[in-house]
Amino acid sequence: MKIWDVPGLKLGLAVVFAAVAASLATMTALREPYVDFTFQPGDILSTPSKNLTLEPLHLLGEPGEIIPHETLFRFYALQEEAAFFPRQPFTVIRGHVRTELVPREKRLADLPALFWIQVFVAVGSLVISGWIWAVKPRETATKLFALSGIGMLVSALPSAIYTTRVLAIPSETFWILEELNAAGASIFGISMISLFMIYPKRLSRTKIVAPALAAALALWGVLCYFKVMPDFLGVNVIIVTEMVILLGVLTCQFFATKRDPQARAALTWLGLSIVIGAGGFVGLNTVPLLLGTTPLKQGYAFLFFLVIYLGLAAGLTRYRLFEVGRWAFGLLFYAFGACALVLLDVALVALIGMDRVPALGFSLALIGFLYLPLRDLLWRMFSRRGRMEPHELLEEALHVAFGPSSEERAARWESLLKKLFDPLQLRVVEDVKNVEIRDDGQVLAVPPVASAPALELANPWSGRSLYTRESQEIARRLVALVARAESNRDAYDRGVTEERRRMAQDLHDDVGARLLNGLSVADEKTRSTLQAAIADIRAIVSGMTGEKVTLDRLVTDLRFEATRRLEPARIVLDWPIGGPDENQSRMELDYRVQKALGSAFREIVSNVLRHSDAKGVKVSISTEGSCIEIVVCDDGRGFSTDALEGKSEGFGLKSVRRRLTDLGGNCRFESANPGARVILFIPT
Amino acid sequence: MHDSKKKSFRGTECLLVEDQKPTREHLTKALKTAFPGIEVVETANVRQALDWLGARDGKDKKLTLAIVDLGLPDGSGIEIVRKLKEKESEAMSIVVSMYDSDSHLFNALQAGAYGYILKDDDADVMIDILKRVETGEPPLSPSIARRLMDHFRAASVPEKTGASLTSREKETLTLLARGLTVPEAATKMGLSPQTVAGYVKAVYQKLQVSSRAEATREAIKRGLA
């Protein structure tokens, strides 16, 4: 297990690198002596030993704006000249005004907004691109993207230093900064071009073209460095050329992603960010330079580049850029948290350093008793390392195994794993036999358990750490516990079902057999009662051992039964059956409703068979929301007035009514002139 | 449009296997009412029935029908159904049971039964079923139709014995599973009831064939055959 593989560490490295670079830049910027004065061309700088009249060239913000080589040489010479003055007190003469200036040490507060903007762009670009790389370090695309971030940093930081200079920077320093700026811009361009030759889709002949192109552009840059290239092929032209090539590559990608809508969406988003970002810079700064018009200050133009990196972060999840998911943000938030904590430390140190605290002992006590515990609490809030006691493990395992349904159990298992290991990613995989650690500690594979499939957990504790032997052991024990609890529950369930089945069997065999015996010697009246009893036993037994029945099943079974009984008696059954009814096939009836409806219907059919002298029976079943209504109409003798008034109901009808009303339904008996109508109503 | 398959049971024999005397008498009465001229051979348990079957030879009257109780004191009626299928393939078996659960009856169908009667059925219901058996239209309950559909859907081993259903057969089962009777299903399919009844019979036969094949495979697997 290589500690290097922890994504958090990689991101930390990127952040530290950016911080160090920014600090170096700041320190360099602070080395220039400071005077609170805005210089203009025509000002005369004067010391007892020297005089210098400022030309516009002295105050030029960005030497890159200079095209002819000779002018550039002159610029550096002028810088060297002007840099002499702020080393001691000097006088500035503007017209008739003489101002005495005493240079002092530059302080942080003296650095203008333009400086911080560029530092921000540099750090932001590197951190964001470093973040993506930390999350997917093996992909060439992310490596190239990180390289572009480095290029941005190398370009922007020097620019920050010299574009915000007060007067002049010694020419050697200036020259180094300028070359770094140009090199960084080139690195950015080359890496962006190479990136888009392979992402989202690998363009044809990339293996040959990309390195060749990169080498050509790099060579061009180097030749410019050695001042070998003619004026019209200078650094600015390199930049514009790279921009044009980039646009060309983006266009090729556009065609290459014709059939892949997801890649096309990612390309559109990223491509748009780049066109706005890089295009903005080139369009507003480089092109005007080449055309001779006034460009936007380089410092401000750098903000456009930030659009690229921010655009990437914004569109990361939605467009699955670099195939990175939402979980990458977990890593970033951890990094922010860690930085915040470090800054808090630094602030405290600076504070204690600045304030006059009487005794060292006092400050130590303050730190020891107040700050460190607070800091530890904050750290633990970030850490959330799921450590569980043995009894907690058992409790959780039981909670999983006794979930009411298999979906619930699978869901509980997943959330337990998430609670325990806090992985960045949870994937379903196949074929895992034992708990094992994969990918050098980045991934924990867990076998199927609790109705859940085999899973892979990647990057534990939000990518801060790796899986160890300990995690493997805990997971193994947990899997065993849950499996054991499940099999116990299964055995219990089976026992219960078996018991019920035995009871059902007894009911059938013993009671049913006796009823049958009675049936063979029964007269007409008793016959119907006994038959109803046997039908009841059947319904009870199937309720005890069976599963829930849907309404459409019940309807088909009742219809078959009715046909079976009515046809031999030459009674015509009018019960239209249409196509499969969606509602009815979805309504699951629990045992009581099923039994009540079944028995009621059976009783009504028995009545029709025995008392009604009917020729035809009409049945219709309808549902209204979750209520069921059954209407049975026959054309026979009809109900006697006694029956309609509810006075002379036989046992059968009485029990029908009771069962329905118990469940919140009702049954109505009406005269159907001719014949009788029974309406059963039951809500579910 | 007379069904050429309509059998006349006059002068033929019917084997009745039922242990309870009152039920036996009830069934005999129904048989004699449904098929005047039929001879009913009454036996009371598996042993008696198998003995009787064993003692038959070519000289006896033709055995066209068998009514077999599933719950016999010395075994299950399914044994008899199976034996009948082997020895007297012309005879149609109908099982009598108190249960109408499809799991119980499905085994009987797999063994070769043609239909079922419930022990507590009224006489006219029984007679109706028997008459339908004679005309080749055994009633098929929706739950059994569903069971049949599931069985053939799940048949995972490709059979040379033709255990998969034709589309017409599947259509028939689907309609029956929805609760239509055979005549109603026939109307819906635009065919005659006899044709549809023929599909039902074909399905039964395929069921029996595939069940036998399955049993043989199992036996081979266990080294018994």
Side-chain angles (χ1 to χ4, degrees), chain B residues 14-96:
Chain B
C14 165
L15 173 65
L16 173 60
V17 193
E18 166 61 55
D19 59 319
Q20 302 286 338
K21 188 150 181 291
T23 319
R24 212 166 47 233
E25 287 174 355
H26 198 59
L27 284 165
T28 309
K29 195 151 151 227
L31 278 165
K32 291 224 161 99
T33 317
F35 310 123
I38 197 171
E39 260 203 44
V40 180
V41 176
E42 299 186 23
T43 55
N45 54 47
V46 178
R47 181 84 268 138
Q48 281 184 13
L50 289 177
D51 284 344
W52 183 82
L53 272 177
R56 270 171 71 78
D57 53 40
K59 287 193 279 90
D60 298 294
K61 291 207 192 105
K62 189 158 163 214
L63 185 66
T64 49
L65 198 58
I67 314 288
V68 183
D69 180 11
L70 283 182
L72 292 167
D74 61 340
S76 166
I78 294 190
E79 274 182 72
I80 303 175
V81 172
R82 231 177 251 133
K83 200 68 179 198
L84 271 165
K85 207 66 196 173
E86 268 179 51
K87 291 201 77 184
E88 309 264 355
S89 53
E90 287 271 312
M92 288 187 278
S93 322
I94 298 181
V95 291
V96 187

Side-chain angles (χ1 to χ4, degrees), chain A residues 509 531 538 556 559 567, chain B residues 98 120 122 132 178-179 184:
Chain A
D509 297 348
Q531 277 178 326
R538 279 203 204 103
T556 57
R559 189 177 190 275
E567 259 183 49
Chain B
M98 204 161 52
D120 61 314
D122 281 336
R132 282 180 187 277
R178 285 229 299 274
E184 285 170 343

Side-chain angles (χ1 to χ4, degrees), chain A residues 33 80 83-90 103 170:
Chain A
E80 193 61 41
F84 168 76
F85 285 87
R87 287 188 203 131
Q88 65 267 306
F90 64 103

Side-chain angles (χ1 to χ4, degrees), chain A residues 418-433:
Chain A
K418 281 196 197 139
K419 192 161 129 192
L420 198 51
F421 294 114
D422 194 19
L424 278 182
Q425 252 191 320
L426 194 74
R427 300 188 280 262
V428 174
V429 292
E430 305 210 336
D431 202 31
V432 178
K433 298 253 167 23

Side-chain angles (χ1 to χ4, degrees), chain A residues 393-414:
Chain A
L393 266 185
L394 181 62
E395 213 178 286
E396 295 285 344
L398 288 178
H399 183 70
V400 170
F402 285 92
S405 66
S406 52
E407 292 88 20
E408 181 68 25
R409 286 193 288 274
R412 285 188 191 181
W413 174 241
E414 276 189 31

